[in-house]
Amino acid sequence: MNKVPEEHLRAMEERDLQPVLSWRNHPEVRRYMFNPGEISWNEHVAWFAAASKNPRKHLLVFDLDSQPVGFISLNESARGGVAEWGFHAAPDAPKGTGKRMLNQALTYGFTRLGLHKISAQVLESNPRSSALHRHLGFTEEGCLREQHCGEDCYQSVYCFGLLEREWSAVL
C-alpha cells in the first residue's frame, strides 16, 4: 500500500536559504525566470533579510515528509488584498509537487492572509506553468505582447488571476 506523503506549508527560515537558492539557480528552474541569471549567496541572503522585514511579503516553503521541496512567495502588491505569487519546486521534487504546494498556498493566501486576489505572470516559454494556473482555476486576464526581453528573443507575458470567491466556489 502506498503511503500518502505528509504535506506542510510553513514560513521560510534561515535554514532554507541554501536549498531555495540551489533550486532557484538550477538551469531547469532559471530558464523560466524573468531574471535567468545565477543569484549569488550574498544577493540571496540580502534578499531574504529585506523580504523578512516586509510584512507584505510572505516567503513560504513546502515540505513533503519533513523534507523541503518547494518555494512560494506571495507579495501583497496592491491595497485591498491583492498579491502576486511566484514559485518553484526542487528540480528533483516528486511529480505533482507543484499542484500540491500551490493548492496549499492558495488556502494560505485566501484564508490566513485574507487575500482578495492572487495574480501571476508567466513567460510564454513556460506553457506548463500556464496550464497549471488554468488547472488551479486562474483566468488568463491578458497577454503583454513581447513584454520581456530574454537572452535571445522577446517573449510575451501571460497574466493570470484568481479571486477568492472563484477559489472558494470550487472547494
Side-chain angles (χ1 to χ4, degrees), residues 7 62 64 93-103 128 132:
E7 303 176 358
F62 181 68
L64 280 178
K95 185 174 173 56
T97 295
K99 181 180 168 187
R100 295 166 85 163
M101 77 175 180
L102 296 180
N103 276 323
R128 288 180 57 207
L132 178 57

Side-chain angles (χ1 to χ4, degrees), residues 14-165:
E14 281 190 33
R15 67 184 167 116
D16 299 309
L17 284 169
Q18 185 58 52
V20 169
L21 179 62
S22 69
W23 306 334
R24 164 57 180 81
N25 279 341
H26 190 280
E28 283 302 305
V29 173
R30 280 195 354 247
R31 70 185 229 177
Y32 297 117
M33 295 290 182
F34 282 84
N35 171 9
E38 282 198 42
I39 305 296
S40 74
W41 175 254
N42 289 340
E43 290 170 317
H44 188 58
V45 170
W47 160 81
F48 180 71
S52 296
K53 293 176 188 165
N54 186 337
R56 298 174 62 83
K57 293 188 180 287
H58 310 277
L59 308 178
L60 307 168
V61 170
F62 181 68
D63 293 331
L64 280 178
D65 289 332
S66 301
Q67 294 298 312
V69 294
F71 168 78
I72 305 107
S73 67
L74 285 163
N75 298 308
E76 294 181 58
S77 54
R79 291 180 41 172
V82 176
E84 185 166 354
W85 76 359
F87 55 86
H88 53 273
D92 60 351
K95 185 174 173 56
T97 295
K99 181 180 168 187
R100 295 166 85 163
M101 77 175 180
L102 296 180
N103 276 323
Q104 286 210 13
L106 289 171
T107 300
Y108 182 92
F110 290 130
T111 60
R112 291 213 32 211
L113 299 179
L115 295 176
H116 170 70
K117 178 181 181 178
I118 296 175
S119 63
Q121 292 191 347
V122 179
L123 293 172
E124 74 177 298
S125 62
N126 195 353
R128 288 180 57 207
S129 182
S130 292
L132 178 57
H133 280 89
R134 287 184 190 95
H135 179 79
L136 292 169
F138 281 73
T139 298
E140 186 177 322
E141 298 180 330
C143 175
L144 304 171
R145 299 174 312 122
E146 297 186 11
Q147 177 78 11
H148 178 71
C149 183
E151 291 188 12
D152 56 356
C153 65
Y154 283 94
Q155 288 190 60
S156 295
V157 176
Y158 295 98
C159 302
F160 290 90
L162 180 64
L163 302 175
E164 187 280 332
R165 69 176 172 268

